Amino acid sequence: MFRTAARFGARYGENFDLAQHIVDRTNLTRNYLPKRHEEVRADILKSLNGDAFCTTTDLWKEKYTGKSYMSVTVHHIDADWNNLSSFIWSTTEYNLEDHRAPSISKCYLENVPDAPFRLVTTDNTNTMPAAFRLLDSDDQIGCISHISSLVAKACVTSDKAAEVKLNVEAAKKLVEHVKRTDLQSKLTTTLKQTIATRFYTYREMIGSIINRWEELENILDARNELKYLEDINKILLIQTSRVLKPLHDCGLELEKDKEPTLHRARYWEAKLQAAFSAHEQDMTAIRKMKEVGRKALLTKLSSRLNVYHDVASALDPRVGEPTDEDSRRKICEKIENVHDRITGVDGDETRDDNDHSLLSDGEDSEEVSEIKSPTPKRKKNPCDEIEEPEFAFYKEKQKLAALHQREVSRKRGGQSTLGVRV
């Protein structure tokens, strides 16, 4: 503080008046910030240039004050299609107890820039689609990253997959115990907790446990607390992690805010459906988990994808033109309908029905559902370090059971109170 004051004195001299150079907090909040706020808004409106754009909106509660708000974020791509920009346009106080669709749509309209068309991304509560059906210039789509989280939640919390649910709950209790007793400092890497709003992070928690399993055994055995590990079926935990992997990858890719991701929804729908298909070699508990996942994908994901996802996928340069004429005609009709909706212009009179130039020209392109997309770049995940066991999980169940029995009872001289679940 003294050095700062000395620098001010050296720069401005002995007649320096601090009040003239540092704005007091009342003046800052009443004059400077509102003025700066309007300047930034003007710059944003100039960049939008009256075009259509996308928004993201959500209702949330500030835990310290207890106040509820609606936030609106604007997403816009420049005229050269090079720069995707996102701006938090408004955060307005809102009564969360009022979940009626008309109230939500009214608050949204009062706090969003005018535009001929807006595509709105929201969470997947039933109220949101109803709210935006009331608006002429807005169409609503559900957040696919949020949907992947809901599917993961169903997989690990459903009573129809009770064995997986109990095993994951035991894993959570272990992590909570380690954090509560400050045992994290004794581990090479810390155990990961789940994020309440991102259920696909259960895989990160599971991976952190598996990768530190032996360390946990030694630490807990020294404290006579091996019961926290004995309650966990390690083999089932590994298999659960593998089932959750595509949901985890989907959530990470589609939650990006600096890159468009709408065109990836159909790709991930196909990939997740394949990942949750039944296999004869699956453990009984995993079969039940996959069954829950398939139903969740159908009701939460497939039912919420629409023409915007179809058109975005078709316009992806990596997706080839459909090979049969009927599919080609249908996707062109969808592109034309979306174009007319966004621009507000009916192009039927000037459109050539045989003009399919909006699609790519690749003659050898595969069907949309068959595209092989590169794996998205992402941060290293602890689950990726889980080593494949050196034995056949599914063909030799007796060996698998014996291995699990030995693992949970090794520190007790061969005595175990845990029933093996296979």
Side-chain angles (χ1 to χ4, degrees):
M1 182 180 294
F2 174 78
R3 291 179 180 177
T4 302
R7 282 197 296 269
F8 271 100
R11 181 174 181 180
Y12 298 105
E14 59 181 8
N15 295 323
F16 171 71
D17 186 358
L18 187 64
Q20 295 180 0
H21 297 273
I22 299 180
V23 181
D24 67 270
R25 61 182 182 181
T26 302
N27 190 26
L28 182 68
T29 56
R30 292 182 181 179
N31 299 312
Y32 176 79
L33 289 181
K35 181 181 177 181
R36 181 58 183 156
H37 179 259
E38 293 303 320
E39 291 174 352
V40 172
R41 277 199 167 193
D43 291 340
I44 294 174
L45 289 174
K46 184 178 179 180
S47 67
L48 295 178
N49 196 30
D51 296 333
F53 54 84
C54 297
T55 65
T56 304
T57 187
D58 195 13
L59 303 173
W60 54 280
K61 186 174 183 178
E62 208 281 318
K63 63 180 181 179
Y64 294 107
T65 64
K67 294 183 178 180
S68 303
Y69 300 90
M70 171 184 281
S71 292
V72 176
T73 303
V74 174
H75 312 277
H76 181 256
I77 298 180
D78 62 17
D80 296 327
W81 293 82
N82 291 325
N83 183 31
L84 173 62
S85 302
S86 297
F87 311 97
I88 300 177
W89 178 259
S90 65
T91 299
T92 308
E93 194 167 345
Y94 183 86
N95 180 15
L96 265 185
E97 295 181 359
D98 186 356
H99 269 253
R100 296 178 301 166
S103 300
I104 293 175
S105 60
K106 179 182 178 181
C107 183
Y108 171 80
L109 274 183
E110 292 173 349
N111 295 282
V112 69
D114 292 332
F117 174 79
R118 294 176 292 253
L119 185 61
V120 189
T121 302
T122 71
D123 61 23
N124 295 277
T125 58
N126 294 328
T127 309
M128 285 301 188
F132 289 96
R133 280 195 294 267
L134 300 174
L135 305 180
D136 294 332
S137 299
D138 298 83
D139 284 348
Q140 182 267 352
I141 58 174
C143 174
I144 307 302
S145 180
H146 180 246
I147 290 175
S148 72
S149 177
L150 295 178
V151 175
K153 176 182 178 181
C155 289
V156 298
T157 62
S158 174
D159 291 332
K160 295 181 179 179
E163 197 168 344
V164 171
K165 176 183 177 181
L166 293 174
N167 205 42
V168 171
E169 287 178 352
K172 286 183 65 178
K173 289 180 181 178
L174 169 63
V175 174
E176 291 169 358
H177 174 70
V178 169
K179 285 189 171 290
R180 184 174 61 252
T181 53
D182 198 27
L183 297 178
Q184 292 274 43
S185 59
K186 298 183 179 180
L187 295 172
T188 305
T189 56
T190 60
L191 300 186
K192 307 299 181 184
Q193 286 185 304
T194 59
I195 301 175
T197 56
R198 291 175 173 82
F199 280 87
Y200 55 77
T201 56
Y202 271 83
R203 183 172 180 267
E204 297 178 1
M205 177 195 71
I206 292 172
S208 67
I209 293 174
I210 298 301
N211 290 329
R212 303 273 73 84
W213 188 271
E214 292 186 1
E215 290 184 33
L216 288 167
E217 274 188 328
N218 294 330
I219 293 172
L220 295 176
D221 182 45
R223 295 169 57 93
N224 293 322
E225 294 176 342
L226 270 177
K227 62 179 182 178
Y228 287 100
L229 277 182
E230 292 177 353
D231 289 340
I232 301 174
N233 184 333
K234 182 181 178 182
I235 305 304
L236 179 58
L237 202 63
I238 293 175
Q239 296 304 311
T240 300
S241 172
R242 290 173 182 155
V243 175
L244 293 177
K245 184 180 187 302
L247 291 171
H248 180 266
D249 293 344
C250 173
L252 288 179
E253 179 178 351
L254 298 187
E255 69 179 7
K256 294 177 181 177
D257 58 0
K258 295 297 183 182
E259 300 176 25
T261 58
L262 185 66
H263 60 290
R264 301 289 288 160
R266 285 295 183 187
Y267 163 77
W268 276 107
E269 179 194 24
K271 187 165 184 177
L272 291 175
Q273 287 174 345
F276 280 85
S277 59
H279 297 285
E280 294 182 357
Q281 297 177 336
D282 284 338
M283 300 166 64
T284 302
I286 295 300
R287 290 180 188 175
K288 294 179 179 179
M289 179 185 180
K290 284 186 173 182
E291 183 179 353
V292 171
R294 287 194 299 273
K295 291 181 179 179
L297 286 173
L298 181 63
T299 58
K300 300 180 185 298
L301 177 59
S302 299
S303 63
R304 295 184 183 271
L305 299 184
N306 57 31
V307 64
Y308 292 106
H309 301 97
D310 296 337
V311 169
S313 179
L315 295 179
D316 185 347
R318 294 168 294 183
V319 179
E321 182 177 332
T323 55
D324 62 287
E325 187 61 30
D326 185 55
S327 298
R328 180 186 177 94
R329 176 183 56 80
K330 288 180 179 180
I331 192 60
C332 283
E333 288 178 354
K334 290 181 178 180
I335 292 175
E336 292 161 358
N337 291 337
V338 168
H339 175 270
D340 293 346
R341 170 64 172 149
I342 293 175
T343 60
V345 177
D346 187 356
D348 289 341
E349 297 181 359
T350 59
R351 184 182 299 123
D352 182 358
D353 291 336
N354 295 319
D355 180 15
H356 304 304
S357 59
L358 286 172
L359 292 174
S360 60
D361 298 326
E363 296 181 358
D364 300 327
S365 300
E366 298 178 337
E367 295 282 352
V368 171
S369 60
E370 297 176 356
I371 184 171
K372 301 293 185 179
S373 176
T375 303
K377 294 182 179 179
R378 57 185 177 84
K379 294 182 179 180
K380 188 175 182 181
N381 188 282
C383 294
D384 296 335
E385 301 176 2
I386 299 177
E387 296 182 357
E388 292 286 340
E390 298 178 355
F391 53 87
F393 282 105
Y394 308 107
K395 295 181 180 180
E396 299 180 27
K397 289 190 175 182
Q398 294 300 324
K399 291 183 180 180
L400 186 150
L403 174 69
H404 177 63
Q405 188 73 9
R406 288 198 301 272
E407 268 202 77
V408 298
S409 62
R410 181 174 54 185
K411 297 297 183 178
R412 294 179 177 270
Q415 301 298 319
S416 175
T417 58
L418 176 67
V420 177
R421 302 187 292 267
V422 179

Short mmCIF file of all heavy atoms in Angstrom, two decimals, residues 123-154:
data_model
loop_
_atom_site.label_atom_id
_atom_site.label_comp_id
_atom_site.label_asym_id
_atom_site.label_seq_id
_atom_site.Cartn_x
_atom_site.Cartn_y
_atom_site.Cartn_z
N ASP A 123 -32.98 -25.73 -21.01
CA ASP A 123 -32.95 -27.06 -20.41
C ASP A 123 -34.17 -27.84 -20.91
O ASP A 123 -34.93 -27.36 -21.76
CB ASP A 123 -32.89 -26.98 -18.88
CG ASP A 123 -34.10 -26.28 -18.28
OD1 ASP A 123 -35.16 -26.22 -18.93
OD2 ASP A 123 -33.99 -25.77 -17.15
N ASN A 124 -34.38 -29.03 -20.37
CA ASN A 124 -35.38 -29.92 -20.95
C ASN A 124 -36.59 -30.14 -20.06
O ASN A 124 -37.22 -31.20 -20.10
CB ASN A 124 -34.71 -31.26 -21.29
CG ASN A 124 -33.66 -31.10 -22.37
OD1 ASN A 124 -33.96 -31.08 -23.54
ND2 ASN A 124 -32.40 -30.95 -21.95
N THR A 125 -36.93 -29.14 -19.26
CA THR A 125 -38.18 -29.20 -18.51
C THR A 125 -39.35 -29.01 -19.47
O THR A 125 -39.21 -28.39 -20.53
CB THR A 125 -38.23 -28.11 -17.43
OG1 THR A 125 -38.07 -26.83 -18.06
CG2 THR A 125 -37.11 -28.31 -16.40
N ASN A 126 -40.52 -29.52 -19.10
CA ASN A 126 -41.67 -29.46 -20.00
C ASN A 126 -42.18 -28.04 -20.21
O ASN A 126 -42.82 -27.74 -21.22
CB ASN A 126 -42.81 -30.32 -19.43
CG ASN A 126 -42.46 -31.79 -19.43
OD1 ASN A 126 -41.73 -32.26 -20.31
ND2 ASN A 126 -42.96 -32.54 -18.46
N THR A 127 -41.87 -27.15 -19.27
CA THR A 127 -42.39 -25.79 -19.35
C THR A 127 -41.73 -24.99 -20.47
O THR A 127 -42.38 -24.16 -21.12
CB THR A 127 -42.17 -25.04 -18.02
OG1 THR A 127 -42.66 -25.83 -16.95
CG2 THR A 127 -42.89 -23.71 -18.02
N MET A 128 -40.46 -25.23 -20.72
CA MET A 128 -39.73 -24.42 -21.69
C MET A 128 -40.27 -24.53 -23.11
O MET A 128 -40.51 -23.52 -23.78
CB MET A 128 -38.24 -24.77 -21.65
CG MET A 128 -37.51 -24.22 -20.43
SD MET A 128 -37.63 -22.40 -20.35
CE MET A 128 -36.52 -22.04 -18.99
N PRO A 129 -40.50 -25.74 -23.67
CA PRO A 129 -41.08 -25.80 -25.01
C PRO A 129 -42.43 -25.10 -25.09
O PRO A 129 -42.74 -24.42 -26.08
CB PRO A 129 -41.22 -27.30 -25.26
CG PRO A 129 -40.19 -27.94 -24.38
CD PRO A 129 -40.16 -27.08 -23.16
N ALA A 130 -43.25 -25.25 -24.03
CA ALA A 130 -44.56 -24.60 -24.02
C ALA A 130 -44.43 -23.08 -24.02
O ALA A 130 -45.20 -22.38 -24.68
CB ALA A 130 -45.35 -25.06 -22.78
N ALA A 131 -43.42 -22.57 -23.30
CA ALA A 131 -43.23 -21.12 -23.22
C ALA A 131 -42.88 -20.53 -24.58
O ALA A 131 -43.38 -19.47 -24.97
CB ALA A 131 -42.14 -20.79 -22.20
N PHE A 132 -42.03 -21.21 -25.34
CA PHE A 132 -41.56 -20.63 -26.60
C PHE A 132 -42.49 -20.94 -27.77
O PHE A 132 -42.34 -20.33 -28.84
CB PHE A 132 -40.12 -21.08 -26.87
CG PHE A 132 -39.15 -20.43 -25.94
CD1 PHE A 132 -38.72 -21.08 -24.79
CD2 PHE A 132 -38.69 -19.16 -26.18
CE1 PHE A 132 -37.85 -20.47 -23.90
CE2 PHE A 132 -37.81 -18.54 -25.30
CZ PHE A 132 -37.39 -19.19 -24.16
N ARG A 133 -43.43 -21.84 -27.57
CA ARG A 133 -44.46 -22.01 -28.59
C ARG A 133 -45.40 -20.79 -28.64
O ARG A 133 -46.12 -20.59 -29.63
CB ARG A 133 -45.28 -23.29 -28.33
CG ARG A 133 -44.59 -24.56 -28.81
CD ARG A 133 -45.55 -25.71 -28.87
NE ARG A 133 -46.03 -26.10 -27.55
CZ ARG A 133 -45.46 -27.04 -26.80
NH1 ARG A 133 -44.40 -27.69 -27.25
NH2 ARG A 133 -45.95 -27.35 -25.62
N LEU A 134 -45.38 -20.00 -27.59
CA LEU A 134 -46.22 -18.80 -27.54
C LEU A 134 -45.62 -17.63 -28.30
O LEU A 134 -46.28 -16.61 -28.50
CB LEU A 134 -46.44 -18.38 -26.07
CG LEU A 134 -47.12 -19.42 -25.16
CD1 LEU A 134 -47.13 -18.92 -23.72
CD2 LEU A 134 -48.53 -19.71 -25.64
N LEU A 135 -44.35 -17.76 -28.72
CA LEU A 135 -43.64 -16.65 -29.36
C LEU A 135 -43.54 -16.89 -30.87
O LEU A 135 -43.24 -18.00 -31.31
CB LEU A 135 -42.25 -16.49 -28.76
CG LEU A 135 -42.21 -16.32 -27.22
CD1 LEU A 135 -40.77 -16.16 -26.76
CD2 LEU A 135 -43.05 -15.14 -26.79
N ASP A 136 -43.77 -15.83 -31.65
CA ASP A 136 -43.75 -15.95 -33.11
C ASP A 136 -42.34 -16.00 -33.68
O ASP A 136 -42.11 -16.65 -34.70
CB ASP A 136 -44.51 -14.76 -33.74
CG ASP A 136 -45.99 -14.79 -33.40
OD1 ASP A 136 -46.52 -15.90 -33.17
OD2 ASP A 136 -46.61 -13.70 -33.34
N SER A 137 -41.40 -15.31 -33.05
CA SER A 137 -40.05 -15.17 -33.63
C SER A 137 -39.03 -16.12 -33.03
O SER A 137 -37.84 -16.00 -33.33
CB SER A 137 -39.56 -13.72 -33.45
OG SER A 137 -40.42 -12.83 -34.10
N ASP A 138 -39.47 -17.03 -32.17
CA ASP A 138 -38.52 -17.92 -31.48
C ASP A 138 -38.93 -19.38 -31.63
O ASP A 138 -40.11 -19.72 -31.52
CB ASP A 138 -38.46 -17.56 -29.99
CG ASP A 138 -37.97 -16.16 -29.74
OD1 ASP A 138 -38.80 -15.23 -29.82
OD2 ASP A 138 -36.78 -15.99 -29.50
N ASP A 139 -37.93 -20.23 -31.87
CA ASP A 139 -38.11 -21.68 -31.82
C ASP A 139 -37.18 -22.23 -30.76
O ASP A 139 -36.05 -21.74 -30.60
CB ASP A 139 -37.80 -22.34 -33.17
CG ASP A 139 -38.94 -22.11 -34.16
OD1 ASP A 139 -40.02 -21.66 -33.74
OD2 ASP A 139 -38.73 -22.38 -35.37
N GLN A 140 -37.61 -23.25 -30.04
CA GLN A 140 -36.85 -23.78 -28.90
C GLN A 140 -36.29 -25.16 -29.21
O GLN A 140 -36.95 -25.99 -29.86
CB GLN A 140 -37.76 -23.85 -27.67
CG GLN A 140 -37.08 -24.33 -26.40
CD GLN A 140 -37.21 -25.85 -26.20
OE1 GLN A 140 -37.94 -26.53 -26.92
NE2 GLN A 140 -36.52 -26.36 -25.20
N ILE A 141 -35.06 -25.41 -28.77
CA ILE A 141 -34.47 -26.74 -28.80
C ILE A 141 -33.89 -27.04 -27.43
O ILE A 141 -33.49 -26.13 -26.70
CB ILE A 141 -33.37 -26.89 -29.88
CG1 ILE A 141 -32.26 -25.86 -29.66
CG2 ILE A 141 -33.95 -26.77 -31.27
CD1 ILE A 141 -31.07 -26.04 -30.60
N GLY A 142 -33.86 -28.31 -27.06
CA GLY A 142 -33.29 -28.70 -25.77
C GLY A 142 -31.79 -28.86 -25.85
O GLY A 142 -31.23 -29.22 -26.89
N CYS A 143 -31.12 -28.60 -24.76
CA CYS A 143 -29.66 -28.75 -24.68
C CYS A 143 -29.30 -30.24 -24.66
O CYS A 143 -29.71 -30.96 -23.76
CB CYS A 143 -29.14 -28.06 -23.42
SG CYS A 143 -27.38 -28.32 -23.12
N ILE A 144 -28.55 -30.70 -25.67
CA ILE A 144 -28.21 -32.12 -25.78
C ILE A 144 -27.22 -32.53 -24.69
O ILE A 144 -27.24 -33.65 -24.19
CB ILE A 144 -27.64 -32.43 -27.17
CG1 ILE A 144 -28.60 -31.94 -28.25
CG2 ILE A 144 -27.41 -33.93 -27.32
CD1 ILE A 144 -29.99 -32.52 -28.16
N SER A 145 -26.33 -31.61 -24.30
CA SER A 145 -25.41 -31.92 -23.20
C SER A 145 -26.20 -32.18 -21.92
O SER A 145 -25.88 -33.10 -21.15
CB SER A 145 -24.43 -30.76 -23.00
OG SER A 145 -23.54 -31.03 -21.94
N HIS A 146 -27.23 -31.38 -21.69
CA HIS A 146 -28.09 -31.59 -20.52
C HIS A 146 -28.82 -32.92 -20.62
O HIS A 146 -28.98 -33.64 -19.62
CB HIS A 146 -29.09 -30.44 -20.42
CG HIS A 146 -30.03 -30.54 -19.26
ND1 HIS A 146 -31.38 -30.73 -19.40
CD2 HIS A 146 -29.79 -30.49 -17.92
CE1 HIS A 146 -31.95 -30.79 -18.20
NE2 HIS A 146 -31.01 -30.64 -17.29
N ILE A 147 -29.24 -33.28 -21.84
CA ILE A 147 -29.93 -34.56 -22.04
C ILE A 147 -29.00 -35.73 -21.73
O ILE A 147 -29.40 -36.72 -21.11
CB ILE A 147 -30.48 -34.65 -23.47
CG1 ILE A 147 -31.65 -33.67 -23.64
CG2 ILE A 147 -30.93 -36.07 -23.79
CD1 ILE A 147 -32.19 -33.59 -25.05
N SER A 148 -27.75 -35.65 -22.17
CA SER A 148 -26.80 -36.73 -21.88
C SER A 148 -26.62 -36.88 -20.38
O SER A 148 -26.44 -38.00 -19.87
CB SER A 148 -25.45 -36.45 -22.55
OG SER A 148 -24.75 -35.38 -21.91
N SER A 149 -26.68 -35.78 -19.65
CA SER A 149 -26.60 -35.83 -18.20
C SER A 149 -27.83 -36.52 -17.61
O SER A 149 -27.71 -37.32 -16.67
CB SER A 149 -26.47 -34.41 -17.64
OG SER A 149 -26.45 -34.42 -16.23
N LEU A 150 -29.00 -36.26 -18.18
CA LEU A 150 -30.22 -36.89 -17.69
C LEU A 150 -30.22 -38.39 -17.96
O LEU A 150 -30.71 -39.18 -17.13
CB LEU A 150 -31.45 -36.24 -18.35
CG LEU A 150 -31.70 -34.77 -18.02
CD1 LEU A 150 -32.92 -34.26 -18.79
CD2 LEU A 150 -31.90 -34.57 -16.52
N VAL A 151 -29.68 -38.79 -19.10
CA VAL A 151 -29.58 -40.22 -19.41
C VAL A 151 -28.62 -40.91 -18.44
O VAL A 151 -28.90 -42.00 -17.93
CB VAL A 151 -29.12 -40.43 -20.87
CG1 VAL A 151 -28.90 -41.92 -21.16
CG2 VAL A 151 -30.16 -39.87 -21.84
N ALA A 152 -27.48 -40.26 -18.17
CA ALA A 152 -26.53 -40.81 -17.20
C ALA A 152 -27.17 -40.92 -15.82
O ALA A 152 -26.97 -41.90 -15.10
CB ALA A 152 -25.28 -39.95 -17.14
N LYS A 153 -27.96 -39.92 -15.46
CA LYS A 153 -28.65 -39.95 -14.17
C LYS A 153 -29.58 -41.14 -14.08
O LYS A 153 -29.63 -41.85 -13.06
CB LYS A 153 -29.43 -38.65 -13.98
CG LYS A 153 -30.26 -38.60 -12.70
CD LYS A 153 -31.05 -37.31 -12.60
CE LYS A 153 -31.92 -37.30 -11.34
NZ LYS A 153 -32.72 -36.04 -11.24
N ALA A 154 -30.34 -41.39 -15.16
CA ALA A 154 -31.26 -42.53 -15.16
C ALA A 154 -30.50 -43.84 -15.01
O ALA A 154 -30.95 -44.76 -14.30
CB ALA A 154 -32.08 -42.53 -16.45
#
